Amino acid sequence: MTGKPLHDYSITEAGTMLREGKVTSMELTKHALDRIGALDGAINSFILVTAERALSDAETADADFAKGIDKGPMQGIPYALKDIYDTAGIPSTCHSKLRVDVVPEQDCVVEQAFKAQGGVMLGKLATHEFAIGGPSFDLPFPPARNPWNPDHIPGGSSSGSGAAVAAGFVRMAMGSDTGGSIRGPAAYCGTVGLKPTYGLLSRRGIFPLSYTLDHAGPLGWTVEDCAITMDTITSYDPLDPGSANVPKPDYLGALGKGVEGLKIGMPRHWYEKAEGASAETIKAIDDAAQLLAKLGAEVETIELPEYDLFNACGRVIMFSEAFAIHEKDYQTRPLDFGMLTYMRMTLGAFVTAADLTQAMRLRRELAQAVNAKLKSYDAIICASALAPAPRFADMPVGMPANWPIHTMPFNVTGNPAMSIPTGFSASGLPLSMQIAGRAFDEPTVLRIGAAFEAAAQIQTKRPSLELARAAA
Amino acid sequence: MATPPDDTALMQEFDVFAARAGLDIPADRKDKLFLGFKDLRQMLALIRQPRTAAAEPAGVYSLETITRSV
């Protein structure tokens, strides 16, 4: 081992040390558990730490290494799951009073893959209730907080996933993304967050928010951490009706190839004059575009349909599908939902069949417009969040049109999209941008992200001092 | 362009929708939910702009053609 703390080793670096006998999975796991024990009280990223399970997983991984059994890059590596992922024998609460006693009998498909490949599950992470209602103080568990400043939100709904990765509790945590719930926390917490192409990862066993907009995906400290995760869990699932039967992309092969010759479009009109857009955020995206151009990409301003159309289309579909899922509980036990969940999801009751049909028609038109543009461009870069993470006190109750996370377009279209850090605000909070690509072309999205990450060197900084101060 | 309904008319519409959905909205949540309803109505107006031929209903109910269209 060299001088840096164990949580600062990437999945690849830790994997190499595990295979060379320079560290054990038990050491990695105990380090992570100790760090969570010391610091998570300040940010509440975990709902449940499954220490016993983690130590057992680590013991198994070390025994396998000793016997020469190698199940893949996640063997012996700690990870954690948003608490809407079903885990056999372990509560899966959706951060809700309605499911506080639910203990699934089966693992979700993603967890089955991690288990089969020797990962070490540390626990279940905080979320907005049912992946929509938060940050809330009227739920059975407290809301996660931002490790860079616990007075600020970590984003959501994969709030614990973003906070735990940024805090160095895990290199990678799984989230879900229906309108930006992976990319929002990644943006606010300064991590990488990948929403893959619709259908690339199985959602079976993950509690749904909106069937046609839901995506599973990883939040990682680096692009490579996300790429390794995707390689571990991608598979066709005939029992997930949205699953795509396509060849598994080569996620890792394109990393390190640079961006020379790639053509990237920037729909600046989506965010440059949007209400609430911060000058720091826009400048950081412009600087990132210049850096990519310096690295050899051709970056051009492009026009797409207006952002508000994507947002309205996605919201109408999401509210409708979410309310349909929870309709009976809204009729029989409405007060068991937290206030924010109630205020947002109930809106689905006010959408007519004609409204939903219009939204679905618009969705097809918007998807075609984006995909037509991507015939001429390899990728799109734009804002993930319009500004750094707001304070808890500044969060709206509903989901107004000027929502500060700008991620809905690629839930509507299904294209892969990744949030990546671009720097820090004057107040010390992370800034970010979004990279989106063609359907099933995650390798190009990851390739651009990796090239930018290597050149910009932003992930050298951790919120350790801020966290330690808050935990003291 | 039609004049937007005033809050009284909107509240009547809100109550009809809630009753139709079988909801008994708690009194202390009604005012805030009504604000969300007004935001939603703006979004519903936005999605009712003229569409192109791409918005063909035959493709609407296939995820292959909605989310991965070319």
Side-chain angles (χ1 to χ4, degrees), chain A residues 198 331 342-343 350 355 360-365 367-368 371 413 440, chain B residues 17 21-22 26 29 46 48 51-52 54-55 60 65-69:
Chain A
Y198 184 85
Q331 291 166 341
Y342 189 89
M343 292 302 162
F350 301 96
D355 296 330
M360 297 288 267
R361 292 180 66 210
L362 174 59
R363 183 178 193 181
R364 179 161 164 75
E365 191 175 294
Q368 288 203 329
N371 285 312
T413 67
F440 304 111
Chain B
F17 270 110
R29 295 185 173 187
L46 199 58
R48 281 198 158 73
R51 300 268 75 84
T52 69
V60 161
T65 53
I66 293 174
T67 64
R68 298 189 279 268
S69 67

PDB file of all heavy atoms in Angstrom, chain A residues 198 331 342-343 350 355 360-365 367-368 371 413 440, chain B residues 17 21-22 26 29 46 48 51-52 54-55 60 65-69:
ATOM      1  N   TYR A 198     -32.180   3.775 -21.576  1.00  0.00           N
ATOM      2  CA  TYR A 198     -33.365   3.085 -21.057  1.00  0.00           C
ATOM      3  C   TYR A 198     -33.315   1.614 -21.484  1.00  0.00           C
ATOM      4  O   TYR A 198     -33.154   1.310 -22.663  1.00  0.00           O
ATOM      5  CB  TYR A 198     -34.646   3.738 -21.599  1.00  0.00           C
ATOM      6  CG  TYR A 198     -35.889   3.122 -21.013  1.00  0.00           C
ATOM      7  CD1 TYR A 198     -36.388   3.552 -19.793  1.00  0.00           C
ATOM      8  CD2 TYR A 198     -36.536   2.079 -21.654  1.00  0.00           C
ATOM      9  CE1 TYR A 198     -37.514   2.959 -19.236  1.00  0.00           C
ATOM     10  CE2 TYR A 198     -37.660   1.490 -21.105  1.00  0.00           C
ATOM     11  CZ  TYR A 198     -38.133   1.934 -19.892  1.00  0.00           C
ATOM     12  OH  TYR A 198     -39.236   1.337 -19.344  1.00  0.00           O
ATOM     13  N   GLN A 331     -55.802   6.741  -1.530  1.00  0.00           N
ATOM     14  CA  GLN A 331     -57.231   6.737  -1.182  1.00  0.00           C
ATOM     15  C   GLN A 331     -57.467   6.281   0.250  1.00  0.00           C
ATOM     16  O   GLN A 331     -58.442   6.707   0.885  1.00  0.00           O
ATOM     17  CB  GLN A 331     -57.989   5.822  -2.160  1.00  0.00           C
ATOM     18  CG  GLN A 331     -58.041   6.377  -3.572  1.00  0.00           C
ATOM     19  CD  GLN A 331     -58.476   5.333  -4.586  1.00  0.00           C
ATOM     20  OE1 GLN A 331     -58.406   4.136  -4.341  1.00  0.00           O
ATOM     21  NE2 GLN A 331     -58.910   5.791  -5.752  1.00  0.00           N
ATOM     22  N   TYR A 342     -46.555  13.545  -0.926  1.00  0.00           N
ATOM     23  CA  TYR A 342     -47.971  13.787  -1.163  1.00  0.00           C
ATOM     24  C   TYR A 342     -48.167  14.933  -2.156  1.00  0.00           C
ATOM     25  O   TYR A 342     -48.949  14.831  -3.111  1.00  0.00           O
ATOM     26  CB  TYR A 342     -48.662  14.101   0.166  1.00  0.00           C
ATOM     27  CG  TYR A 342     -50.161  14.155   0.048  1.00  0.00           C
ATOM     28  CD1 TYR A 342     -50.930  13.007   0.221  1.00  0.00           C
ATOM     29  CD2 TYR A 342     -50.810  15.343  -0.264  1.00  0.00           C
ATOM     30  CE1 TYR A 342     -52.307  13.044   0.086  1.00  0.00           C
ATOM     31  CE2 TYR A 342     -52.183  15.388  -0.406  1.00  0.00           C
ATOM     32  CZ  TYR A 342     -52.928  14.238  -0.219  1.00  0.00           C
ATOM     33  OH  TYR A 342     -54.296  14.277  -0.359  1.00  0.00           O
ATOM     34  N   MET A 343     -47.435  16.030  -1.938  1.00  0.00           N
ATOM     35  CA  MET A 343     -47.616  17.221  -2.771  1.00  0.00           C
ATOM     36  C   MET A 343     -47.210  16.973  -4.221  1.00  0.00           C
ATOM     37  O   MET A 343     -47.738  17.588  -5.141  1.00  0.00           O
ATOM     38  CB  MET A 343     -46.783  18.389  -2.224  1.00  0.00           C
ATOM     39  CG  MET A 343     -47.272  18.903  -0.908  1.00  0.00           C
ATOM     40  SD  MET A 343     -48.983  19.425  -1.036  1.00  0.00           S
ATOM     41  CE  MET A 343     -49.436  19.445   0.682  1.00  0.00           C
ATOM     42  N   PHE A 350     -54.621  14.518 -11.258  1.00  0.00           N
ATOM     43  CA  PHE A 350     -55.220  15.641 -11.989  1.00  0.00           C
ATOM     44  C   PHE A 350     -54.877  15.615 -13.482  1.00  0.00           C
ATOM     45  O   PHE A 350     -55.086  16.591 -14.186  1.00  0.00           O
ATOM     46  CB  PHE A 350     -54.758  16.962 -11.367  1.00  0.00           C
ATOM     47  CG  PHE A 350     -55.121  17.092  -9.912  1.00  0.00           C
ATOM     48  CD1 PHE A 350     -54.214  16.773  -8.919  1.00  0.00           C
ATOM     49  CD2 PHE A 350     -56.395  17.500  -9.536  1.00  0.00           C
ATOM     50  CE1 PHE A 350     -54.555  16.876  -7.574  1.00  0.00           C
ATOM     51  CE2 PHE A 350     -56.742  17.597  -8.199  1.00  0.00           C
ATOM     52  CZ  PHE A 350     -55.816  17.287  -7.209  1.00  0.00           C
ATOM     53  N   ASP A 355     -54.499  14.256 -21.618  1.00  0.00           N
ATOM     54  CA  ASP A 355     -53.219  14.887 -21.252  1.00  0.00           C
ATOM     55  C   ASP A 355     -52.066  13.894 -21.423  1.00  0.00           C
ATOM     56  O   ASP A 355     -51.015  14.216 -21.985  1.00  0.00           O
ATOM     57  CB  ASP A 355     -53.230  15.331 -19.777  1.00  0.00           C
ATOM     58  CG  ASP A 355     -54.244  16.412 -19.469  1.00  0.00           C
ATOM     59  OD1 ASP A 355     -54.552  17.218 -20.365  1.00  0.00           O
ATOM     60  OD2 ASP A 355     -54.708  16.456 -18.304  1.00  0.00           O
ATOM     61  N   MET A 360     -47.338  11.618 -24.328  1.00  0.00           N
ATOM     62  CA  MET A 360     -46.673  10.495 -24.990  1.00  0.00           C
ATOM     63  C   MET A 360     -46.382  10.813 -26.462  1.00  0.00           C
ATOM     64  O   MET A 360     -45.335  10.440 -26.999  1.00  0.00           O
ATOM     65  CB  MET A 360     -47.545   9.245 -24.893  1.00  0.00           C
ATOM     66  CG  MET A 360     -47.780   8.762 -23.474  1.00  0.00           C
ATOM     67  SD  MET A 360     -46.310   8.030 -22.728  1.00  0.00           S
ATOM     68  CE  MET A 360     -46.581   6.318 -23.139  1.00  0.00           C
ATOM     69  N   ARG A 361     -47.305  11.516 -27.101  1.00  0.00           N
ATOM     70  CA  ARG A 361     -47.049  11.927 -28.490  1.00  0.00           C
ATOM     71  C   ARG A 361     -45.862  12.882 -28.543  1.00  0.00           C
ATOM     72  O   ARG A 361     -44.977  12.760 -29.392  1.00  0.00           O
ATOM     73  CB  ARG A 361     -48.284  12.627 -29.073  1.00  0.00           C
ATOM     74  CG  ARG A 361     -49.479  11.715 -29.287  1.00  0.00           C
ATOM     75  CD  ARG A 361     -50.632  12.508 -29.871  1.00  0.00           C
ATOM     76  NE  ARG A 361     -50.344  12.986 -31.208  1.00  0.00           N
ATOM     77  CZ  ARG A 361     -50.838  14.102 -31.734  1.00  0.00           C
ATOM     78  NH1 ARG A 361     -51.645  14.868 -31.043  1.00  0.00           N
ATOM     79  NH2 ARG A 361     -50.520  14.459 -32.968  1.00  0.00           N
ATOM     80  N   LEU A 362     -45.849  13.844 -27.620  1.00  0.00           N
ATOM     81  CA  LEU A 362     -44.740  14.802 -27.578  1.00  0.00           C
ATOM     82  C   LEU A 362     -43.425  14.081 -27.294  1.00  0.00           C
ATOM     83  O   LEU A 362     -42.380  14.425 -27.855  1.00  0.00           O
ATOM     84  CB  LEU A 362     -45.026  15.858 -26.491  1.00  0.00           C
ATOM     85  CG  LEU A 362     -43.915  16.862 -26.206  1.00  0.00           C
ATOM     86  CD1 LEU A 362     -43.547  17.660 -27.454  1.00  0.00           C
ATOM     87  CD2 LEU A 362     -44.343  17.821 -25.084  1.00  0.00           C
ATOM     88  N   ARG A 363     -43.499  13.076 -26.432  1.00  0.00           N
ATOM     89  CA  ARG A 363     -42.280  12.339 -26.089  1.00  0.00           C
ATOM     90  C   ARG A 363     -41.619  11.752 -27.338  1.00  0.00           C
ATOM     91  O   ARG A 363     -40.406  11.831 -27.511  1.00  0.00           O
ATOM     92  CB  ARG A 363     -42.633  11.220 -25.101  1.00  0.00           C
ATOM     93  CG  ARG A 363     -41.429  10.444 -24.625  1.00  0.00           C
ATOM     94  CD  ARG A 363     -41.820   9.380 -23.618  1.00  0.00           C
ATOM     95  NE  ARG A 363     -40.640   8.865 -22.952  1.00  0.00           N
ATOM     96  CZ  ARG A 363     -40.651   7.916 -22.033  1.00  0.00           C
ATOM     97  NH1 ARG A 363     -41.795   7.390 -21.644  1.00  0.00           N
ATOM     98  NH2 ARG A 363     -39.532   7.490 -21.478  1.00  0.00           N
ATOM     99  N   ARG A 364     -42.439  11.169 -28.187  1.00  0.00           N
ATOM    100  CA  ARG A 364     -41.879  10.576 -29.404  1.00  0.00           C
ATOM    101  C   ARG A 364     -41.242  11.645 -30.285  1.00  0.00           C
ATOM    102  O   ARG A 364     -40.162  11.449 -30.842  1.00  0.00           O
ATOM    103  CB  ARG A 364     -42.977   9.838 -30.151  1.00  0.00           C
ATOM    104  CG  ARG A 364     -42.513   9.200 -31.440  1.00  0.00           C
ATOM    105  CD  ARG A 364     -43.474   8.119 -31.895  1.00  0.00           C
ATOM    106  NE  ARG A 364     -43.255   7.765 -33.285  1.00  0.00           N
ATOM    107  CZ  ARG A 364     -42.235   7.037 -33.722  1.00  0.00           C
ATOM    108  NH1 ARG A 364     -41.336   6.579 -32.882  1.00  0.00           N
ATOM    109  NH2 ARG A 364     -42.125   6.746 -34.998  1.00  0.00           N
ATOM    110  N   GLU A 365     -41.914  12.776 -30.378  1.00  0.00           N
ATOM    111  CA  GLU A 365     -41.385  13.866 -31.207  1.00  0.00           C
ATOM    112  C   GLU A 365     -40.047  14.378 -30.646  1.00  0.00           C
ATOM    113  O   GLU A 365     -39.094  14.613 -31.394  1.00  0.00           O
ATOM    114  CB  GLU A 365     -42.417  14.996 -31.220  1.00  0.00           C
ATOM    115  CG  GLU A 365     -42.157  16.086 -32.219  1.00  0.00           C
ATOM    116  CD  GLU A 365     -43.325  17.081 -32.209  1.00  0.00           C
ATOM    117  OE1 GLU A 365     -44.438  16.686 -32.587  1.00  0.00           O
ATOM    118  OE2 GLU A 365     -43.114  18.238 -31.819  1.00  0.00           O
ATOM    119  N   ALA A 367     -37.928  12.736 -28.693  1.00  0.00           N
ATOM    120  CA  ALA A 367     -36.890  11.706 -28.840  1.00  0.00           C
ATOM    121  C   ALA A 367     -36.343  11.711 -30.262  1.00  0.00           C
ATOM    122  O   ALA A 367     -35.129  11.607 -30.482  1.00  0.00           O
ATOM    123  CB  ALA A 367     -37.467  10.333 -28.497  1.00  0.00           C
ATOM    124  N   GLN A 368     -37.240  11.876 -31.218  1.00  0.00           N
ATOM    125  CA  GLN A 368     -36.777  11.901 -32.610  1.00  0.00           C
ATOM    126  C   GLN A 368     -35.911  13.125 -32.879  1.00  0.00           C
ATOM    127  O   GLN A 368     -34.924  13.042 -33.608  1.00  0.00           O
ATOM    128  CB  GLN A 368     -37.973  11.879 -33.557  1.00  0.00           C
ATOM    129  CG  GLN A 368     -38.652  10.499 -33.572  1.00  0.00           C
ATOM    130  CD  GLN A 368     -39.441  10.250 -34.842  1.00  0.00           C
ATOM    131  OE1 GLN A 368     -39.963  11.192 -35.427  1.00  0.00           O
ATOM    132  NE2 GLN A 368     -39.553   9.008 -35.239  1.00  0.00           N
ATOM    133  N   ASN A 371     -32.467  12.455 -31.296  1.00  0.00           N
ATOM    134  CA  ASN A 371     -31.724  11.425 -32.028  1.00  0.00           C
ATOM    135  C   ASN A 371     -31.333  11.885 -33.428  1.00  0.00           C
ATOM    136  O   ASN A 371     -30.282  11.479 -33.946  1.00  0.00           O
ATOM    137  CB  ASN A 371     -32.530  10.127 -32.060  1.00  0.00           C
ATOM    138  CG  ASN A 371     -32.481   9.431 -30.707  1.00  0.00           C
ATOM    139  OD1 ASN A 371     -31.413   9.275 -30.125  1.00  0.00           O
ATOM    140  ND2 ASN A 371     -33.624   9.046 -30.184  1.00  0.00           N
ATOM    141  N   THR A 413     -36.172  10.937 -23.503  1.00  0.00           N
ATOM    142  CA  THR A 413     -35.694  10.314 -24.744  1.00  0.00           C
ATOM    143  C   THR A 413     -35.070   8.942 -24.503  1.00  0.00           C
ATOM    144  O   THR A 413     -34.971   8.146 -25.434  1.00  0.00           O
ATOM    145  CB  THR A 413     -34.620  11.191 -25.421  1.00  0.00           C
ATOM    146  OG1 THR A 413     -33.446  11.224 -24.596  1.00  0.00           O
ATOM    147  CG2 THR A 413     -35.126  12.603 -25.640  1.00  0.00           C
ATOM    148  N   PHE A 440     -27.428   3.478 -26.321  1.00  0.00           N
ATOM    149  CA  PHE A 440     -26.487   2.363 -26.156  1.00  0.00           C
ATOM    150  C   PHE A 440     -25.041   2.743 -26.488  1.00  0.00           C
ATOM    151  O   PHE A 440     -24.197   1.867 -26.631  1.00  0.00           O
ATOM    152  CB  PHE A 440     -26.920   1.135 -26.971  1.00  0.00           C
ATOM    153  CG  PHE A 440     -28.313   0.698 -26.625  1.00  0.00           C
ATOM    154  CD1 PHE A 440     -29.352   0.844 -27.528  1.00  0.00           C
ATOM    155  CD2 PHE A 440     -28.585   0.183 -25.368  1.00  0.00           C
ATOM    156  CE1 PHE A 440     -30.639   0.473 -27.188  1.00  0.00           C
ATOM    157  CE2 PHE A 440     -29.884  -0.196 -25.025  1.00  0.00           C
ATOM    158  CZ  PHE A 440     -30.906  -0.047 -25.932  1.00  0.00           C
TER     159      PHE A 440
ATOM    160  N   PHE B  17     -61.645  16.763  -9.791  1.00  0.00           N
ATOM    161  CA  PHE B  17     -60.593  15.768 -10.045  1.00  0.00           C
ATOM    162  C   PHE B  17     -60.328  14.932  -8.786  1.00  0.00           C
ATOM    163  O   PHE B  17     -60.190  13.711  -8.858  1.00  0.00           O
ATOM    164  CB  PHE B  17     -59.295  16.451 -10.474  1.00  0.00           C
ATOM    165  CG  PHE B  17     -59.157  16.653 -11.951  1.00  0.00           C
ATOM    166  CD1 PHE B  17     -59.226  17.914 -12.506  1.00  0.00           C
ATOM    167  CD2 PHE B  17     -58.946  15.569 -12.787  1.00  0.00           C
ATOM    168  CE1 PHE B  17     -59.080  18.101 -13.871  1.00  0.00           C
ATOM    169  CE2 PHE B  17     -58.797  15.737 -14.155  1.00  0.00           C
ATOM    170  CZ  PHE B  17     -58.867  17.013 -14.699  1.00  0.00           C
ATOM    171  N   ALA B  21     -60.896  10.900  -8.321  1.00  0.00           N
ATOM    172  CA  ALA B  21     -59.790   9.990  -7.985  1.00  0.00           C
ATOM    173  C   ALA B  21     -59.987   9.317  -6.628  1.00  0.00           C
ATOM    174  O   ALA B  21     -59.146   8.523  -6.205  1.00  0.00           O
ATOM    175  CB  ALA B  21     -58.473  10.763  -7.996  1.00  0.00           C
ATOM    176  N   GLY B  22     -61.073   9.646  -5.946  1.00  0.00           N
ATOM    177  CA  GLY B  22     -61.326   9.012  -4.650  1.00  0.00           C
ATOM    178  C   GLY B  22     -60.455   9.551  -3.536  1.00  0.00           C
ATOM    179  O   GLY B  22     -60.184   8.847  -2.561  1.00  0.00           O
ATOM    180  N   PRO B  26     -56.436  16.061   2.897  1.00  0.00           N
ATOM    181  CA  PRO B  26     -56.412  16.683   4.224  1.00  0.00           C
ATOM    182  C   PRO B  26     -56.427  18.208   4.111  1.00  0.00           C
ATOM    183  O   PRO B  26     -55.754  18.783   3.241  1.00  0.00           O
ATOM    184  CB  PRO B  26     -55.092  16.186   4.829  1.00  0.00           C
ATOM    185  CG  PRO B  26     -54.760  14.947   4.054  1.00  0.00           C
ATOM    186  CD  PRO B  26     -55.294  15.165   2.678  1.00  0.00           C
ATOM    187  N   ARG B  29     -53.274  20.232   3.774  1.00  0.00           N
ATOM    188  CA  ARG B  29     -52.441  20.008   2.596  1.00  0.00           C
ATOM    189  C   ARG B  29     -53.065  20.605   1.332  1.00  0.00           C
ATOM    190  O   ARG B  29     -52.427  20.635   0.281  1.00  0.00           O
ATOM    191  CB  ARG B  29     -52.194  18.504   2.387  1.00  0.00           C
ATOM    192  CG  ARG B  29     -51.378  17.876   3.516  1.00  0.00           C
ATOM    193  CD  ARG B  29     -51.033  16.415   3.257  1.00  0.00           C
ATOM    194  NE  ARG B  29     -50.120  15.925   4.299  1.00  0.00           N
ATOM    195  CZ  ARG B  29     -49.537  14.744   4.294  1.00  0.00           C
ATOM    196  NH1 ARG B  29     -49.761  13.905   3.308  1.00  0.00           N
ATOM    197  NH2 ARG B  29     -48.706  14.382   5.265  1.00  0.00           N
ATOM    198  N   LEU B  46     -48.571  23.622 -22.078  1.00  0.00           N
ATOM    199  CA  LEU B  46     -47.345  23.595 -22.878  1.00  0.00           C
ATOM    200  C   LEU B  46     -47.291  22.375 -23.802  1.00  0.00           C
ATOM    201  O   LEU B  46     -46.833  22.474 -24.945  1.00  0.00           O
ATOM    202  CB  LEU B  46     -46.144  23.582 -21.920  1.00  0.00           C
ATOM    203  CG  LEU B  46     -44.787  23.990 -22.462  1.00  0.00           C
ATOM    204  CD1 LEU B  46     -44.828  25.394 -23.045  1.00  0.00           C
ATOM    205  CD2 LEU B  46     -43.752  23.931 -21.336  1.00  0.00           C
ATOM    206  N   ARG B  48     -49.628  20.991 -25.218  1.00  0.00           N
ATOM    207  CA  ARG B  48     -50.705  21.011 -26.213  1.00  0.00           C
ATOM    208  C   ARG B  48     -50.411  21.956 -27.365  1.00  0.00           C
ATOM    209  O   ARG B  48     -51.311  22.457 -28.012  1.00  0.00           O
ATOM    210  CB  ARG B  48     -52.029  21.384 -25.553  1.00  0.00           C
ATOM    211  CG  ARG B  48     -52.660  20.214 -24.826  1.00  0.00           C
ATOM    212  CD  ARG B  48     -54.128  20.419 -24.553  1.00  0.00           C
ATOM    213  NE  ARG B  48     -54.810  19.161 -24.343  1.00  0.00           N
ATOM    214  CZ  ARG B  48     -54.687  18.411 -23.264  1.00  0.00           C
ATOM    215  NH1 ARG B  48     -53.892  18.783 -22.300  1.00  0.00           N
ATOM    216  NH2 ARG B  48     -55.348  17.265 -23.155  1.00  0.00           N
ATOM    217  N   ARG B  51     -48.336  19.638 -32.960  1.00  0.00           N
ATOM    218  CA  ARG B  51     -47.350  18.565 -33.082  1.00  0.00           C
ATOM    219  C   ARG B  51     -46.978  18.352 -34.546  1.00  0.00           C
ATOM    220  O   ARG B  51     -47.693  18.753 -35.456  1.00  0.00           O
ATOM    221  CB  ARG B  51     -47.923  17.254 -32.535  1.00  0.00           C
ATOM    222  CG  ARG B  51     -48.334  17.277 -31.074  1.00  0.00           C
ATOM    223  CD  ARG B  51     -47.180  16.824 -30.185  1.00  0.00           C
ATOM    224  NE  ARG B  51     -46.171  17.863 -30.079  1.00  0.00           N
ATOM    225  CZ  ARG B  51     -46.229  18.897 -29.212  1.00  0.00           C
ATOM    226  NH1 ARG B  51     -47.235  19.003 -28.387  1.00  0.00           N
ATOM    227  NH2 ARG B  51     -45.296  19.805 -29.181  1.00  0.00           N
ATOM    228  N   THR B  52     -45.850  17.668 -34.748  1.00  0.00           N
ATOM    229  CA  THR B  52     -45.443  17.312 -36.111  1.00  0.00           C
ATOM    230  C   THR B  52     -45.896  15.887 -36.414  1.00  0.00           C
ATOM    231  O   THR B  52     -46.438  15.195 -35.544  1.00  0.00           O
ATOM    232  CB  THR B  52     -43.910  17.366 -36.248  1.00  0.00           C
ATOM    233  OG1 THR B  52     -43.360  16.288 -35.483  1.00  0.00           O
ATOM    234  CG2 THR B  52     -43.351  18.682 -35.742  1.00  0.00           C
ATOM    235  N   ALA B  54     -44.147  13.436 -36.499  1.00  0.00           N
ATOM    236  CA  ALA B  54     -43.408  12.476 -35.669  1.00  0.00           C
ATOM    237  C   ALA B  54     -44.230  12.003 -34.483  1.00  0.00           C
ATOM    238  O   ALA B  54     -44.005  10.917 -33.945  1.00  0.00           O
ATOM    239  CB  ALA B  54     -42.115  13.116 -35.169  1.00  0.00           C
ATOM    240  N   ALA B  55     -45.182  12.840 -34.056  1.00  0.00           N
ATOM    241  CA  ALA B  55     -46.004  12.472 -32.898  1.00  0.00           C
ATOM    242  C   ALA B  55     -47.142  11.568 -33.337  1.00  0.00           C
ATOM    243  O   ALA B  55     -48.308  11.876 -33.173  1.00  0.00           O
ATOM    244  CB  ALA B  55     -46.538  13.738 -32.234  1.00  0.00           C
ATOM    245  N   VAL B  60     -46.552   5.449 -30.178  1.00  0.00           N
ATOM    246  CA  VAL B  60     -46.529   5.990 -28.824  1.00  0.00           C
ATOM    247  C   VAL B  60     -46.430   4.906 -27.766  1.00  0.00           C
ATOM    248  O   VAL B  60     -45.783   5.078 -26.748  1.00  0.00           O
ATOM    249  CB  VAL B  60     -47.789   6.859 -28.598  1.00  0.00           C
ATOM    250  CG1 VAL B  60     -48.064   7.058 -27.125  1.00  0.00           C
ATOM    251  CG2 VAL B  60     -47.600   8.204 -29.264  1.00  0.00           C
ATOM    252  N   THR B  65     -39.827   2.516 -29.761  1.00  0.00           N
ATOM    253  CA  THR B  65     -39.890   3.663 -30.657  1.00  0.00           C
ATOM    254  C   THR B  65     -40.006   4.988 -29.915  1.00  0.00           C
ATOM    255  O   THR B  65     -39.692   6.031 -30.479  1.00  0.00           O
ATOM    256  CB  THR B  65     -41.065   3.526 -31.643  1.00  0.00           C
ATOM    257  OG1 THR B  65     -42.255   3.284 -30.902  1.00  0.00           O
ATOM    258  CG2 THR B  65     -40.831   2.403 -32.611  1.00  0.00           C
ATOM    259  N   ILE B  66     -40.439   4.958 -28.668  1.00  0.00           N
ATOM    260  CA  ILE B  66     -40.469   6.223 -27.919  1.00  0.00           C
ATOM    261  C   ILE B  66     -39.063   6.576 -27.454  1.00  0.00           C
ATOM    262  O   ILE B  66     -38.549   7.643 -27.738  1.00  0.00           O
ATOM    263  CB  ILE B  66     -41.376   6.126 -26.678  1.00  0.00           C
ATOM    264  CG1 ILE B  66     -42.820   5.957 -27.083  1.00  0.00           C
ATOM    265  CG2 ILE B  66     -41.228   7.390 -25.822  1.00  0.00           C
ATOM    266  CD1 ILE B  66     -43.728   5.717 -25.901  1.00  0.00           C
ATOM    267  N   THR B  67     -38.439   5.680 -26.733  1.00  0.00           N
ATOM    268  CA  THR B  67     -37.201   6.049 -26.052  1.00  0.00           C
ATOM    269  C   THR B  67     -35.954   5.749 -26.858  1.00  0.00           C
ATOM    270  O   THR B  67     -34.890   6.208 -26.510  1.00  0.00           O
ATOM    271  CB  THR B  67     -37.086   5.330 -24.705  1.00  0.00           C
ATOM    272  OG1 THR B  67     -37.010   3.924 -24.949  1.00  0.00           O
ATOM    273  CG2 THR B  67     -38.268   5.627 -23.814  1.00  0.00           C
ATOM    274  N   ARG B  68     -36.097   4.973 -27.918  1.00  0.00           N
ATOM    275  CA  ARG B  68     -34.890   4.688 -28.686  1.00  0.00           C
ATOM    276  C   ARG B  68     -35.151   4.934 -30.161  1.00  0.00           C
ATOM    277  O   ARG B  68     -34.655   4.241 -31.025  1.00  0.00           O
ATOM    278  CB  ARG B  68     -34.445   3.241 -28.426  1.00  0.00           C
ATOM    279  CG  ARG B  68     -34.083   3.004 -26.971  1.00  0.00           C
ATOM    280  CD  ARG B  68     -33.444   1.668 -26.748  1.00  0.00           C
ATOM    281  NE  ARG B  68     -34.389   0.583 -26.659  1.00  0.00           N
ATOM    282  CZ  ARG B  68     -34.922   0.137 -25.519  1.00  0.00           C
ATOM    283  NH1 ARG B  68     -34.609   0.704 -24.370  1.00  0.00           N
ATOM    284  NH2 ARG B  68     -35.755  -0.866 -25.524  1.00  0.00           N
ATOM    285  N   SER B  69     -35.948   5.946 -30.432  1.00  0.00           N
ATOM    286  CA  SER B  69     -36.345   6.230 -31.813  1.00  0.00           C
ATOM    287  C   SER B  69     -35.168   6.757 -32.616  1.00  0.00           C
ATOM    288  O   SER B  69     -34.251   7.352 -32.077  1.00  0.00           O
ATOM    289  CB  SER B  69     -37.463   7.260 -31.821  1.00  0.00           C
ATOM    290  OG  SER B  69     -36.966   8.485 -31.355  1.00  0.00           O
TER     291      SER B  69
END
